[in-house]
């Protein structure tokens, strides 16, 4: 499996898509900081807090930005095997389709965690830089670590909720359909995020879990967790079943 | 136990209502170069994909080294090198980087195998040029390097000369011959170019519309290149009727209104001409000819398409 992961990493060398993805990762934290500093500039009584920064970042990332950017990255990493015509070279190598896809899934999980880790690190760095000019509260190692755990748990939920888009990628052998689906999911996320039924929608529920916002929800947390798990396993099983049937046509 | 490296039994592939390959039975012997010849769309690539397990046959079975491919892929595939259709590589990587990925997946040890493969196809190992910047010929060379990198016993190459310049074609041809004669490798090569197969193959299979029309050694085929009697007459339809009625002959081909070929050179030309004359037919020309290999292929595949 390590060999498969190494190969996946090698494939991304000099990839412009990856650079664009990393640049995309930087956008949310950057604008969160800009927003906080601007608010402080207009009203100096407001407080720039590390908690608020991470909380806002998690909301934008989990509900809107990460599903879209990660879908693009994941779909590209998978669909390029079809578009570059490399599957015919891979399928004649005695690596089973299941092992190959599991390697891919694991690598995509690594990409997701890297995405969240970079976002976490950027907020921390920008908050430290900000603290030279405006007061930033809660800027301690402990609170940074607290949010590192939250960001990584967000990564875990994102991995789980990305599997249907991955299935769409394999099904359509391209990234247009999963991207449209991800955009639709994000739209519903925005609509549902403040509503009491957000817990029944796995993508919104993920955010509720990460930010501990289940109070006031009509859907119990257990049901939300079950829905997320069912969707995750269904996604993985569908991907595996579909990919095992894959032929080079 | 036979000596076949590849054997197919009634191999069939259908897509919807169309049949791509129908009841194909081919037999490829160890240490031979086997040319699969057919027009574009004849079913050559589909056959090769089924031999590699890239496409599941609708019916029939593939045997490699006497073992069914189904259920033995993990043991059999490492012994095969292949090139199917257009070369498929990662465009953002160099030739060596691309090969490194497949070498790692195959478990090919050390960088020497990659260097040797690139050296053979005359691609520089330390070149910084990316695959996306390669010409078609260079891409094809890299695909051949990938096929031979792990020193396989069997090579399955689908139109490997595509995009190569004449010097490159000659080099690859020589190398494939050396692999076969010197190292005892078995090579299956497909092409729609007759001259290419004629220069390289030991055995030839002709496939058309998914059906195997002929499987023969090239030597036998050349020897069997049929002689025929060519007639230029005033009415070929009438000539055909006379041949059937008077001589019980059906081995002929009407080329046009005036020209007819009789594939039975043992018959007396003088006698036939006389019978034609007695039946009111004018005979302008009558002589015995040999059929070239190309004419033979065109005839049995029913037309053009093989260069």
């Amino acid at each position: 499996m390590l060999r498969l992961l190494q190969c996946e990493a090698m494939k991304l060398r000099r990839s412009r898509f990856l650079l664009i993805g990393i640049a995309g990762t930087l956008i949310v934290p950057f604008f969160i900081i800009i927003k906080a500093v601007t608010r402080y500039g207009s009203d100096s009584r407001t407080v720039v807090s590390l908690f608020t920064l991470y909380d806002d970042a998690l909301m934008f990332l989990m509900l809107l930005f990460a599903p879209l950017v990660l879908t693009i990255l994941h779909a590209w990493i998978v669909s390029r095997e079809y578009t570059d015509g490399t599957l015919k070279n891979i399928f004649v190598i005695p690596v089973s389709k299941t092992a190959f896809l599991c390697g891919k899934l694991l690598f995509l999980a690594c990409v997701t965690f890297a995405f969240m880790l970079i976002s976490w690190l950027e907020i921390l760095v920008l908050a430290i830089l900000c603290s030279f000019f405006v007061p930033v509260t809660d800027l301690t190692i402990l609170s940074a670590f607290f949010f590192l755990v939250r960001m990584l748990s967000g990564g875990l939920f994102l991995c789980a909720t990305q599997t249907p888009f991955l299935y769409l990628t394999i099904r359509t052998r391209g990234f247009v359909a999963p991207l449209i689906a991800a955009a639709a999911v994000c739209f519903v996320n925005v609509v549902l995020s403040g509503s009491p039924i957000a817990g029944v929608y796995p993508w919104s529920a993920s955010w509720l879990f990460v930010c501990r916002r289940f109070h006031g929800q009509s859907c119990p947390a257990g049901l939300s967790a079950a829905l997320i798990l069912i969707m995750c396993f269904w996604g993985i099983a569908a991907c595996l079943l579909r990919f095992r049937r894959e032929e080079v046509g | 136990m036979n000596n076949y490296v590849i054997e197919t039994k009634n191999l069939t592939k259908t897509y919807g209502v169309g049949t791509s390959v129908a009841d194909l039975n081919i037999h490829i012997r160890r240490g031979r170069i086997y040319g699969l010849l057919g027009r574009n769309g004849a079913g050559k690539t589909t056959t090769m994909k089924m031999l590699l397990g890239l496409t599941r046959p609708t019916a029939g079975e593939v045997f490699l080294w006497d073992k069914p491919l189904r259920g033995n892929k993990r043991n059999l595939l490492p012994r095969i090198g292949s090139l199917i259709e257009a070369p498929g590589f990662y465009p953002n990587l160099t030739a060596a980087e691309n090969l490194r990925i497949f070498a790692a997946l195959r478990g090919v040890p050390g960088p020497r195998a990659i260097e040797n493969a690139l050296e053979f196809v005359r691609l520089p190992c330390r070149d910084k040029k990316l695959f996306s910047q390669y010409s078609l010929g260079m891409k094809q060379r890299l695909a051949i390097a990938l096929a031979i990198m792990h020193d396989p016993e069997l090579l399955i190459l689908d139109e490997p000369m595509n995009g190569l310049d004449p010097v490159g074609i000659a080099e690859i041809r020589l190398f494939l011959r050396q692999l076969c004669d010197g190292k005892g490798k078995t090579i299956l090569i497909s092409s729609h170019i007759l001259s290419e197969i004629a220069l390289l193959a030991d055995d030839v299979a002709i496939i058309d519309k998914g059906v195997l029309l002929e499987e023969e050694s090239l030597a036998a085929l050349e020897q069997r290149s049929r002689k025929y009697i060519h007639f230029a007459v005033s009415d070929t339809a009438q000539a055909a009727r006379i041949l059937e009625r008077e001589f019980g002959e059906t081995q002929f081909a009407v080329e046009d209104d005036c020209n007819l070929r009789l594939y039975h050179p043992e018959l007396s030309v003088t006698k036939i001409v006389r019978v034609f004359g007695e039946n009111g037919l004018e005979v302008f020309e009558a002589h015995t000819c040999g059929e070239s290999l190309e004419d033979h292929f065109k005839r049995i595949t029913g037309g053009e398409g093989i260069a």
Side-chain angles (χ1 to χ4, degrees), chain B residues 205-241:
Chain B
I206 303 167
I207 181 172
D208 192 48
K209 292 174 189 143
V211 177
L212 182 71
L213 299 177
E214 201 153 13
E215 188 185 43
E216 193 81 80
S217 76
L218 189 72
L221 211 60
E222 279 171 343
Q223 202 177 24
R224 211 159 52 83
S225 283
R226 298 172 70 178
K227 285 190 170 177
Y228 62 91
I229 307 167
H230 172 249
F231 291 101
V233 292
S234 54
D235 182 353
T236 47
Q238 193 191 347
R241 280 194 298 273

Side-chain angles (χ1 to χ4, degrees), chain B residues 2-62:
Chain B
N2 54 46
N3 199 30
Y4 297 133
V5 172
I6 300 178
E7 187 181 11
T8 65
K9 287 185 179 164
N10 301 321
L11 199 62
T12 303
K13 181 71 183 179
T14 54
Y15 292 103
V17 288
T19 302
S20 185
V21 175
D23 287 323
L24 191 78
N25 295 298
I26 57 171
H27 310 84
I28 302 177
R29 286 177 286 167
R30 202 178 300 272
R32 308 273 289 184
I33 298 182
Y34 187 100
L36 194 57
L37 188 67
R39 295 195 278 179
N40 292 326
K44 304 184 294 290
T45 303
T46 308
T47 301
M48 289 183 149
K49 282 179 183 171
M50 287 192 283
L51 296 179
L52 288 163
L54 290 171
T55 299
R56 267 181 293 276
T58 310
E61 187 105 55
V62 173

Side-chain angles (χ1 to χ4, degrees), chain A residues 144-193:
Chain A
F145 180 75
F146 173 80
F147 275 102
L148 173 64
V149 174
R150 278 205 172 180
M151 290 291 257
L152 292 181
S153 69
L156 195 64
F157 279 104
L158 282 169
C159 287
T161 51
Q162 280 289 308
T163 55
F165 305 128
L166 199 63
Y167 170 70
L168 269 181
T169 308
I170 293 170
R171 190 87 176 79
T172 61
R173 300 179 171 197
F175 59 78
V176 176
L179 188 57
I180 292 170
V185 161
C186 290
F187 173 73
V188 179
N189 264 345
V190 172
V191 173
L192 287 182
S193 59

